[in-house]
Amino acid sequence: MTVIYDLHSHSSASDGTQSPAALVTAARAAGVDVLALTDHDTIAGLDEAGHAAREAGLRLIPGIELSCTWERKTLHVLGLNIDPAAPRLGEGLAELAGLRQARARRIDAKLAKAGIAGLLAGLHDSLGPQTQITRSHFARALVTGGHVKTPAEAFKRYLGRGKPAAVASDWPALESVIGWILAAGGTPVLAHPLRYQLSASWLRRLLAAFAAAGGQGLEVVCGRGTVDEIRTLALYASRYGLAASAGSDYHGEATPWLTPGQLAPLPAGLTPVWDLWEAA
Ligand code: AMP
Ligand code: MN
Ligand code: MN
Ligand code: MN
Protein backbone atom coordinates (compact mmCIF):
# COMPACT_ATOMS: atom_id res chain seq x y z
CA MET A 1 0.00 0.00 0.00
CA THR A 2 1.21 3.48 -0.77
CA VAL A 3 1.97 5.63 2.22
CA ILE A 4 0.56 9.16 1.90
CA TYR A 5 2.99 11.82 3.12
CA ASP A 6 2.43 15.51 3.75
CA LEU A 7 5.50 17.13 5.20
CA HIS A 8 4.46 20.80 5.36
CA SER A 9 1.41 22.10 7.25
CA HIS A 10 0.33 24.85 9.64
CA SER A 11 -1.85 25.00 12.74
CA SER A 12 -3.16 27.85 14.88
CA ALA A 13 0.20 27.88 16.68
CA SER A 14 1.18 30.00 13.67
CA ASP A 15 -1.05 31.01 10.76
CA GLY A 16 -3.09 27.87 10.16
CA THR A 17 -6.79 28.22 11.00
CA GLN A 18 -7.17 24.85 12.74
CA SER A 19 -5.97 23.78 16.17
CA PRO A 20 -3.15 21.20 16.01
CA ALA A 21 -5.62 18.43 16.95
CA ALA A 22 -8.16 19.54 14.33
CA LEU A 23 -5.41 19.68 11.71
CA VAL A 24 -4.37 16.10 12.50
CA THR A 25 -7.99 14.95 12.31
CA ALA A 26 -8.46 16.69 8.96
CA ALA A 27 -5.24 15.20 7.59
CA ARG A 28 -6.21 11.71 8.71
CA ALA A 29 -9.69 12.10 7.19
CA ALA A 30 -8.00 13.10 3.92
CA GLY A 31 -5.99 9.87 4.00
CA VAL A 32 -2.63 11.18 5.23
CA ASP A 33 -0.46 8.53 6.92
CA VAL A 34 2.56 10.67 7.77
CA LEU A 35 2.11 14.38 8.58
CA ALA A 36 4.72 16.98 9.50
CA LEU A 37 3.42 19.96 11.45
CA THR A 38 5.69 22.83 10.40
CA ASP A 39 4.46 26.04 12.01
CA HIS A 40 6.31 29.30 11.36
CA ASP A 41 9.08 29.68 13.94
CA THR A 42 7.33 27.73 16.70
CA ILE A 43 7.02 24.23 18.10
CA ALA A 44 4.07 25.19 20.34
CA GLY A 45 1.59 22.98 18.45
CA LEU A 46 3.64 19.78 18.44
CA ASP A 47 2.53 18.32 21.80
CA GLU A 48 -1.18 18.61 21.03
CA ALA A 49 -0.63 17.32 17.48
CA GLY A 50 1.34 14.36 18.81
CA HIS A 51 -1.46 13.31 21.16
CA ALA A 52 -4.06 13.68 18.41
CA ALA A 53 -1.87 11.70 16.01
CA ARG A 54 -1.61 8.77 18.43
CA GLU A 55 -5.40 8.70 18.74
CA ALA A 56 -5.96 9.03 15.00
CA GLY A 57 -3.38 6.39 14.06
CA LEU A 58 -1.28 8.82 12.05
CA ARG A 59 2.50 9.27 12.28
CA LEU A 60 3.38 12.84 13.24
CA ILE A 61 6.78 14.13 12.20
CA PRO A 62 7.76 16.97 14.56
CA GLY A 63 8.69 19.89 12.33
CA ILE A 64 9.06 23.64 11.99
CA GLU A 65 9.33 26.25 9.24
CA LEU A 66 12.07 28.73 10.09
CA SER A 67 12.30 32.24 8.67
CA CYS A 68 15.81 33.29 7.68
CA THR A 69 17.75 35.80 5.62
CA TRP A 70 20.17 35.05 2.82
CA GLU A 71 21.64 37.81 0.64
CA ARG A 72 18.99 40.18 2.06
CA LYS A 73 16.17 37.88 0.92
CA THR A 74 13.72 36.13 3.25
CA LEU A 75 13.70 32.35 2.87
CA HIS A 76 11.90 29.51 4.64
CA VAL A 77 13.73 26.39 5.79
CA LEU A 78 11.75 23.41 7.06
CA GLY A 79 13.22 21.43 9.91
CA LEU A 80 11.76 17.94 9.65
CA ASN A 81 11.97 15.20 12.28
CA ILE A 82 13.44 17.55 14.89
CA ASP A 83 13.81 16.98 18.60
CA PRO A 84 11.66 19.88 19.85
CA ALA A 85 13.48 19.82 23.20
CA ALA A 86 16.93 20.49 21.74
CA PRO A 87 18.46 23.47 23.65
CA ARG A 88 20.19 25.13 20.67
CA LEU A 89 16.92 25.14 18.72
CA GLY A 90 15.12 26.54 21.77
CA GLU A 91 17.56 29.47 21.94
CA GLY A 92 17.03 30.14 18.25
CA LEU A 93 13.25 30.08 18.66
CA ALA A 94 13.44 32.56 21.53
CA GLU A 95 15.40 34.89 19.24
CA LEU A 96 12.85 34.45 16.46
CA ALA A 97 9.93 35.08 18.82
CA GLY A 98 11.52 38.38 19.86
CA LEU A 99 12.04 39.37 16.23
CA ARG A 100 8.44 38.49 15.36
CA GLN A 101 7.04 40.51 18.28
CA ALA A 102 9.09 43.56 17.37
CA ARG A 103 8.15 43.19 13.71
CA ALA A 104 4.43 42.89 14.55
CA ARG A 105 4.68 46.16 16.49
CA ARG A 106 6.35 47.89 13.53
CA ILE A 107 3.68 46.60 11.11
CA ASP A 108 0.99 47.77 13.53
CA ALA A 109 2.56 51.24 13.79
CA LYS A 110 2.74 51.55 10.00
CA LEU A 111 -0.89 50.48 9.63
CA ALA A 112 -1.85 53.06 12.27
CA LYS A 113 -0.07 55.72 10.21
CA ALA A 114 -2.11 54.57 7.22
CA GLY A 115 -5.24 55.15 9.29
CA ILE A 116 -5.87 51.62 10.58
CA ALA A 117 -5.22 51.54 14.31
CA GLY A 118 -5.37 48.82 16.92
CA LEU A 119 -5.05 45.64 14.86
CA LEU A 120 -2.25 44.18 17.00
CA ALA A 121 -4.18 44.77 20.23
CA GLY A 122 -7.08 42.88 18.68
CA LEU A 123 -4.78 40.03 17.66
CA HIS A 124 -3.34 39.83 21.17
CA ASP A 125 -6.91 39.54 22.51
CA SER A 126 -8.04 36.88 20.07
CA LEU A 127 -4.90 34.73 19.73
CA GLY A 128 -3.33 32.59 22.42
CA PRO A 129 -0.07 33.80 23.94
CA GLN A 130 1.71 30.89 22.22
CA THR A 131 0.76 31.95 18.71
CA GLN A 132 3.51 33.38 16.50
CA ILE A 133 2.02 36.45 14.84
CA THR A 134 2.58 36.49 11.09
CA ARG A 135 1.57 38.83 8.29
CA SER A 136 -1.27 36.36 7.60
CA HIS A 137 -2.83 37.39 10.91
CA PHE A 138 -2.68 41.07 9.95
CA ALA A 139 -4.11 40.20 6.53
CA ARG A 140 -7.09 38.43 8.11
CA ALA A 141 -7.62 41.29 10.57
CA LEU A 142 -7.68 43.72 7.62
CA VAL A 143 -10.39 41.55 6.03
CA THR A 144 -12.39 41.32 9.27
CA GLY A 145 -12.13 45.09 9.72
CA GLY A 146 -13.58 45.62 6.27
CA HIS A 147 -10.44 47.34 4.93
CA VAL A 148 -9.93 44.75 2.16
CA LYS A 149 -11.96 41.89 0.72
CA THR A 150 -9.34 39.12 0.79
CA PRO A 151 -5.98 38.37 2.46
CA ALA A 152 -4.37 38.51 -0.99
CA GLU A 153 -5.67 42.07 -1.36
CA ALA A 154 -4.27 42.90 2.09
CA PHE A 155 -0.81 41.89 0.87
CA LYS A 156 -1.29 43.77 -2.39
CA ARG A 157 -2.43 47.01 -0.73
CA TYR A 158 -0.74 47.06 2.67
CA LEU A 159 1.63 44.26 3.66
CA GLY A 160 3.56 43.33 0.53
CA ARG A 161 6.93 44.69 -0.50
CA GLY A 162 6.87 48.43 -1.16
CA LYS A 163 3.41 48.87 0.42
CA PRO A 164 2.55 51.18 3.36
CA ALA A 165 2.91 48.53 6.10
CA ALA A 166 5.85 46.62 4.63
CA VAL A 167 8.77 46.20 7.03
CA ALA A 168 12.30 45.03 6.33
CA SER A 169 12.77 41.75 8.18
CA ASP A 170 16.15 40.93 9.62
CA TRP A 171 15.75 37.23 10.27
CA PRO A 172 18.67 35.06 11.43
CA ALA A 173 21.11 33.91 8.74
CA LEU A 174 20.40 30.85 6.59
CA GLU A 175 23.50 29.17 8.02
CA SER A 176 22.27 29.75 11.59
CA VAL A 177 18.83 28.21 11.14
CA ILE A 178 20.31 25.20 9.32
CA GLY A 179 22.66 24.79 12.29
CA TRP A 180 19.76 24.87 14.78
CA ILE A 181 17.88 22.19 12.83
CA LEU A 182 20.95 19.97 12.63
CA ALA A 183 21.60 20.49 16.35
CA ALA A 184 18.03 19.23 16.94
CA GLY A 185 18.77 16.09 14.90
CA GLY A 186 16.45 17.29 12.12
CA THR A 187 16.61 17.41 8.34
CA PRO A 188 16.91 20.95 6.88
CA VAL A 189 14.73 21.24 3.76
CA LEU A 190 14.47 24.37 1.60
CA ALA A 191 10.73 25.14 1.42
CA HIS A 192 8.96 26.11 -1.85
CA PRO A 193 12.17 27.01 -3.74
CA LEU A 194 10.31 28.61 -6.67
CA ARG A 195 8.36 31.06 -4.50
CA TYR A 196 11.29 33.42 -3.85
CA GLN A 197 11.17 35.01 -7.29
CA LEU A 198 14.83 34.23 -7.91
CA SER A 199 16.36 34.04 -11.37
CA ALA A 200 17.81 30.66 -12.34
CA SER A 201 21.34 31.82 -11.56
CA TRP A 202 20.33 33.17 -8.12
CA LEU A 203 18.50 29.93 -7.37
CA ARG A 204 21.62 27.94 -8.28
CA ARG A 205 23.70 30.16 -5.98
CA LEU A 206 21.16 29.63 -3.21
CA LEU A 207 21.13 25.85 -3.62
CA ALA A 208 24.94 25.71 -3.56
CA ALA A 209 25.00 27.84 -0.39
CA PHE A 210 22.19 25.79 1.19
CA ALA A 211 23.97 22.47 0.54
CA ALA A 212 27.34 23.88 1.67
CA ALA A 213 25.77 25.05 4.95
CA GLY A 214 24.45 21.54 5.72
CA GLY A 215 21.06 21.69 4.01
CA GLN A 216 19.85 18.20 3.13
CA GLY A 217 16.56 18.43 1.29
CA LEU A 218 14.53 20.32 -1.28
CA GLU A 219 10.75 20.61 -1.32
CA VAL A 220 10.33 19.16 -4.82
CA VAL A 221 6.55 18.74 -4.62
CA CYS A 222 4.90 21.79 -3.01
CA GLY A 223 1.16 22.22 -2.82
CA ARG A 224 -0.24 22.25 -6.29
CA GLY A 225 3.08 22.55 -8.10
CA THR A 226 2.90 22.01 -11.85
CA VAL A 227 4.53 19.15 -13.73
CA ASP A 228 7.13 21.60 -15.08
CA GLU A 229 7.94 22.96 -11.62
CA ILE A 230 8.33 19.47 -10.20
CA ARG A 231 10.61 18.46 -13.08
CA THR A 232 12.77 21.58 -12.58
CA LEU A 233 13.07 20.98 -8.84
CA ALA A 234 13.86 17.28 -9.33
CA LEU A 235 16.80 18.26 -11.55
CA TYR A 236 18.05 20.70 -8.91
CA ALA A 237 17.74 18.10 -6.15
CA SER A 238 19.87 15.66 -8.18
CA ARG A 239 22.40 18.28 -9.17
CA TYR A 240 22.96 19.53 -5.61
CA GLY A 241 22.77 16.12 -3.93
CA LEU A 242 19.62 16.99 -1.96
CA ALA A 243 16.90 14.59 -0.85
CA ALA A 244 13.35 15.32 -2.00
CA SER A 245 10.40 16.35 0.17
CA ALA A 246 6.69 16.76 -0.51
CA GLY A 247 4.27 18.98 1.38
CA SER A 248 1.04 20.87 0.82
CA ASP A 249 1.68 24.01 2.95
CA TYR A 250 -1.92 23.56 4.09
CA HIS A 251 -3.22 26.42 6.31
CA GLY A 252 -6.78 25.13 6.95
CA GLU A 253 -9.54 27.44 5.73
CA ALA A 254 -6.93 29.98 4.66
CA THR A 255 -5.90 27.63 1.83
CA PRO A 256 -9.26 26.27 0.60
CA TRP A 257 -7.65 25.11 -2.66
CA LEU A 258 -5.50 22.58 -0.78
CA THR A 259 -6.28 19.19 0.74
CA PRO A 260 -3.71 17.63 3.10
CA GLY A 261 -1.73 14.89 1.38
CA GLN A 262 -3.10 15.60 -2.07
CA LEU A 263 0.27 15.81 -3.79
CA ALA A 264 1.90 14.61 -6.98
CA PRO A 265 4.20 11.62 -6.49
CA LEU A 266 7.92 12.31 -6.10
CA PRO A 267 9.73 11.84 -9.42
CA ALA A 268 11.68 8.58 -9.70
CA GLY A 269 15.40 8.57 -9.06
CA LEU A 270 15.34 10.95 -6.08
CA THR A 271 15.98 10.05 -2.44
CA PRO A 272 12.84 10.83 -0.44
CA VAL A 273 13.65 12.65 2.81
CA TRP A 274 11.88 9.94 4.79
CA ASP A 275 14.45 7.41 3.56
CA LEU A 276 17.06 9.43 5.50
CA TRP A 277 15.07 8.77 8.68
CA GLU A 278 14.64 5.04 8.12
CA ALA A 279 18.39 4.69 7.51
CA ALA A 280 19.19 6.52 10.76
P1 AMP B 1 5.40 36.27 7.62
O1 AMP B 1 6.25 35.04 7.85
O2 AMP B 1 4.93 36.90 8.89
O3 AMP B 1 6.03 37.24 6.68
O4 AMP B 1 4.05 35.76 6.93
C1 AMP B 1 4.17 35.02 5.77
C2 AMP B 1 2.90 34.23 5.55
O5 AMP B 1 1.93 35.07 4.94
C3 AMP B 1 3.12 33.10 4.56
O6 AMP B 1 3.52 31.94 5.23
C4 AMP B 1 1.76 32.92 3.94
O7 AMP B 1 0.99 32.06 4.74
C5 AMP B 1 1.17 34.32 4.01
N1 AMP B 1 1.25 35.05 2.73
C6 AMP B 1 2.36 35.54 2.13
N2 AMP B 1 2.05 36.18 0.98
C7 AMP B 1 0.70 36.10 0.84
C8 AMP B 1 -0.25 36.57 -0.12
N3 AMP B 1 0.13 37.27 -1.20
N4 AMP B 1 -1.56 36.26 0.08
C9 AMP B 1 -1.96 35.57 1.16
N5 AMP B 1 -1.12 35.10 2.10
C10 AMP B 1 0.19 35.36 1.96
MN1 MN C 1 2.03 30.78 6.38
MN1 MN D 1 6.75 29.30 3.65
MN1 MN E 1 4.47 27.01 5.17
Side-chain angles (χ1 to χ4, degrees):
M1 238 190 60
T2 9
V3 179
I4 310 268
Y5 291 87
D6 190 335
L7 301 181
H8 187 161
S9 69
H10 295 273
S11 76
S12 53
S14 65
D15 57 352
T17 61
Q18 293 168 313
S19 69
L23 166 71
V24 166
T25 305
R28 189 71 195 122
V32 173
D33 299 298
V34 183
L35 175 76
L37 174 58
T38 54
D39 275 312
H40 296 287
D41 305 321
T42 180
I43 53 169
L46 291 178
D47 270 354
E48 181 183 319
H51 287 294
R54 275 190 290 280
E55 282 187 11
L58 172 151
R59 178 174 171 199
L60 183 85
I61 302 293
I64 193 155
E65 180 172 17
L66 293 175
S67 311
C68 66
T69 300
W70 176 78
E71 299 276 355
R72 303 175 65 196
K73 303 167 206 312
T74 294
L75 305 175
H76 288 173
V77 177
L78 299 168
L80 298 180
N81 212 15
I82 52 169
D83 169 9
R88 187 75 199 84
L89 176 64
E91 290 163 21
L93 293 183
E95 181 185 337
L96 276 165
L99 289 170
R100 275 208 176 268
Q101 282 155 19
R103 177 177 179 259
R105 284 195 293 271
R106 280 192 291 144
I107 292 173
D108 196 53
K110 288 200 164 189
L111 284 171
K113 258 194 192 156
I116 302 170
L119 288 197
L120 184 58
L123 289 175
H124 281 146
D125 287 343
S126 63
L127 302 172
Q130 294 273 54
T131 303
Q132 286 294 356
I133 295 181
T134 70
R135 285 185 299 164
S136 307
H137 294 100
F138 281 101
R140 287 175 210 156
L142 285 164
V143 174
T144 309
H147 305 286
V148 291
K149 291 221 161 50
T150 62
E153 191 190 341
F155 276 88
K156 211 176 274 171
R157 283 183 50 193
Y158 293 102
L159 302 167
R161 197 188 297 177
K163 304 303 170 184
V167 296
S169 304
D170 213 358
W171 303 117
L174 172 68
E175 294 77 9
S176 303
V177 303
I178 290 174
W180 302 343
I181 294 166
L182 293 173
T187 305
V189 172
L190 184 67
H192 43 66
L194 299 178
R195 237 190 269 162
Y196 305 118
Q197 291 164 324
L198 301 176
S199 66
S201 61
W202 269 101
L203 184 55
R204 286 195 300 268
R205 278 189 62 194
L206 166 59
L207 294 175
F210 179 74
Q216 296 173 345
L218 200 60
E219 199 170 46
V220 169
V221 174
C222 346
R224 301 206 313 194
T226 67
V227 172
D228 272 356
E229 288 167 347
I230 293 170
R231 193 180 300 139
T232 301
L233 291 170
L235 284 171
Y236 282 128
S238 303
R239 189 189 302 186
Y240 292 92
L242 297 167
S245 190
S248 62
D249 206 3
Y250 178 76
H251 284 68
E253 281 161 34
T255 51
W257 56 90
L258 295 173
T259 306
Q262 216 168 83
L263 296 162
L266 281 185
L270 301 176
T271 304
V273 280
W274 49 87
D275 279 7
L276 304 178
W277 309 331
E278 309 314 333

